[in-house]
């Protein structure tokens, strides 16, 4: 009877881990910054929109780095996991 429940909990845990990993991936944010810059250079994004989106992405990148740094300082993650 508990088998399906345990399986569901396992799947939910795996999904959460994947989402957490993606939210903490600096590379994804950096890729978004590059793509945004390219779109601005091509005239697909206005300067005002570019600066607003860039600021939000840089804020997100700084938040990720600060969070990872706090985890590293507390010993919650290894140095290999922080990049």
């Amino acid at each position: 009877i508990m088998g399906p429940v345990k399986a569901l909990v396992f799947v939910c845990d795996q999904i959460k881990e994947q989402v957490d990993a993606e939210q903490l991936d600096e590379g994804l944010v950096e890729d978004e910054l590059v793509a945004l810059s390219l779109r601005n250079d091509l005239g697909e994004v206005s300067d005002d929109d570019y600066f607003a989106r860039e600021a939000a992405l840089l804020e997100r990148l700084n938040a990720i780095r600060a969070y990872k740094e706090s985890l590293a300082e507390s010993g919650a993650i290894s140095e290999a996991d922080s990049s």
Side-chain angles (χ1 to χ4, degrees), residues 25-68:
D25 189 345
E26 294 175 46
L28 290 177
V29 178
E30 291 166 347
D31 289 347
E32 287 182 53
L33 281 166
V34 170
L36 177 63
S37 178
L38 244 150
R39 290 183 66 209
N40 180 255
D41 291 345
L42 295 171
E44 296 175 6
V45 175
S46 70
D47 286 343
D48 290 339
D49 195 27
Y50 169 78
F51 290 123
R53 289 183 189 185
E54 180 191 43
L57 287 168
L58 289 173
E59 184 177 319
R60 184 170 150 206
L61 186 59
N62 288 333
I64 290 169
R65 290 177 176 164
Y67 179 71
K68 285 183 175 181

Side-chain angles (χ1 to χ4, degrees), residues 66-79 82:
Y67 179 71
K68 285 183 175 181
E69 186 176 311
S70 72
L71 289 179
E73 287 174 359
S74 70
I77 61 172
S78 69
E79 202 53 37
S82 65

